[in-house]
Amino acid sequence: MRQQGAGLLIHISSNLGRLTVPFMGAYAASKHALEAMAEVYRYELRPLGIDSAIIEPGWFPTEIFGKIMGPEDSSRLGAYVAFDPIQDRMFEHAGALVQSAGWPDPREVAEAVLALIETPFLERPLRTVVGSVVTAGVDAHNESAATQQRAHLTSFGVAQDFDF
């Protein structure tokens, strides 16, 4: 990409890369890390003609729900029994969402990828929220974070270098 002076990195993150929920810490942490690297790549690689963009899907009917595992050492669960009703309620609600009508089509993510590919360099958004299930607040968070990020870059004296 450097040799040709052009390229596009598309990172598939999650709404949990921006906002978190209990009991999904490892997943959210991995998505937060991905978001940080993707944003840094945007700053560092754009001058080389390489863009970095993030897709933040909400919940889609994928195999992830069938792969949720409990702890291997169940003897430790007793210490966390107070969380059982909360965790049960959260996952029951999530299960109801999965069963509800109007569940988004995973092709929406593929369409978002295609849209980013077809969008010209310097016109792509950094973040694209996709889906309608469990995405509440993500757009507002992204807008607020962009304002705060600009202020942060200003404090380092480099905001003018990354005015995109």
Side-chain angles (χ1 to χ4, degrees):
M1 288 186 209
R2 281 192 325 232
Q3 287 176 343
Q4 67 188 19
L8 171 61
L9 302 171
I10 298 177
H11 312 272
I12 308 297
S13 182
S14 168
N15 63 336
L16 294 178
R18 299 303 278 168
L19 302 172
T20 60
V21 296
F23 316 111
M24 298 196 64
Y27 181 81
S30 70
K31 296 304 184 177
H32 275 63
L34 174 67
E35 295 258 349
M37 284 306 304
E39 189 164 350
V40 167
Y41 286 159
R42 187 167 177 102
Y43 300 138
E44 295 176 355
L45 299 176
R46 257 200 176 184
L48 303 174
I50 303 167
D51 209 352
S52 179
I54 306 164
I55 295 179
E56 299 170 333
W59 287 18
F60 285 85
T62 66
E63 295 298 316
I64 193 170
F65 297 108
K67 296 179 180 180
I68 295 174
M69 301 182 327
E72 190 170 311
D73 183 359
S74 59
S75 67
R76 297 181 189 270
L77 289 177
Y80 300 96
V81 72
F83 290 110
D84 284 352
I86 299 167
Q87 185 174 8
D88 291 346
R89 188 171 64 246
M90 189 180 106
F91 285 110
E92 283 174 19
H93 186 76
L97 286 172
V98 172
Q99 302 300 322
S100 67
W103 193 249
D105 187 329
R107 288 180 283 200
E108 290 179 32
V109 176
E111 291 166 1
V113 168
L114 180 60
L116 285 172
I117 291 168
E118 292 177 339
T119 301
F121 182 64
L122 302 178
E123 293 180 26
R124 293 181 189 105
L126 171 59
R127 290 183 168 86
T128 301
V129 177
V130 181
S132 58
V133 177
V134 194
T135 57
V138 178
D139 282 325
H141 179 79
N142 287 344
E143 290 172 23
S144 175
T147 299
Q148 298 306 314
Q149 182 64 24
R150 177 124 179 99
H152 192 60
L153 292 174
T154 298
S155 70
F156 279 92
V158 297
Q160 70 282 357
D161 300 304
F162 302 105
D163 198 17
F164 41 78

